[in-house]
Amino acid sequence: GSGGVIHGMISLEVRCQPARVEMRVSDNGRGFDPTSTPPESLGLGIMRERAEAIEATLTVQSEVGQGTEVRVVWAASSQPGAS
């Protein structure tokens, strides 16, 4: 096959509020089928572990041919001792 370069777009959005941080990374790549991908594949396992470690919520949305979006939301109110 040929060693062509694939050009795509990646978007990074970070929203910071006093008690909440949201980060969203998305691309317009080839995507994947999350229902047929083992949770530890594609780095998903380590992303979940890291989100859990800070008590954040991780969501991954992807569809073959439609790209992927990874979203992490951390809220201070979910932290022990937060008021």
Side-chain angles (χ1 to χ4, degrees):
S2 65
V5 176
I6 299 173
H7 295 279
M9 181 183 298
I10 296 173
S11 172
L12 171 63
E13 181 179 350
V14 178
R15 294 182 181 181
C16 297
Q17 298 170 340
R20 176 183 165 98
V21 177
E22 178 180 345
M23 181 180 73
R24 195 164 50 181
V25 181
S26 58
D27 67 32
N28 66 347
R30 61 184 176 185
F32 62 96
D33 180 357
T35 62
S36 67
T37 304
E40 66 277 0
S41 294
L42 305 174
L44 296 176
I46 193 68
M47 285 192 284
R48 283 192 176 91
E49 286 178 19
R50 289 180 176 175
E52 288 174 8
I54 62 168
E55 297 183 13
T57 303
L58 172 75
T59 55
V60 179
Q61 296 179 326
S62 188
E63 189 174 327
V64 175
Q66 301 297 314
T68 302
E69 179 180 278
V70 177
R71 182 173 172 234
V72 178
V73 178
W74 175 84
S77 60
S78 68
Q79 297 301 300
S83 41

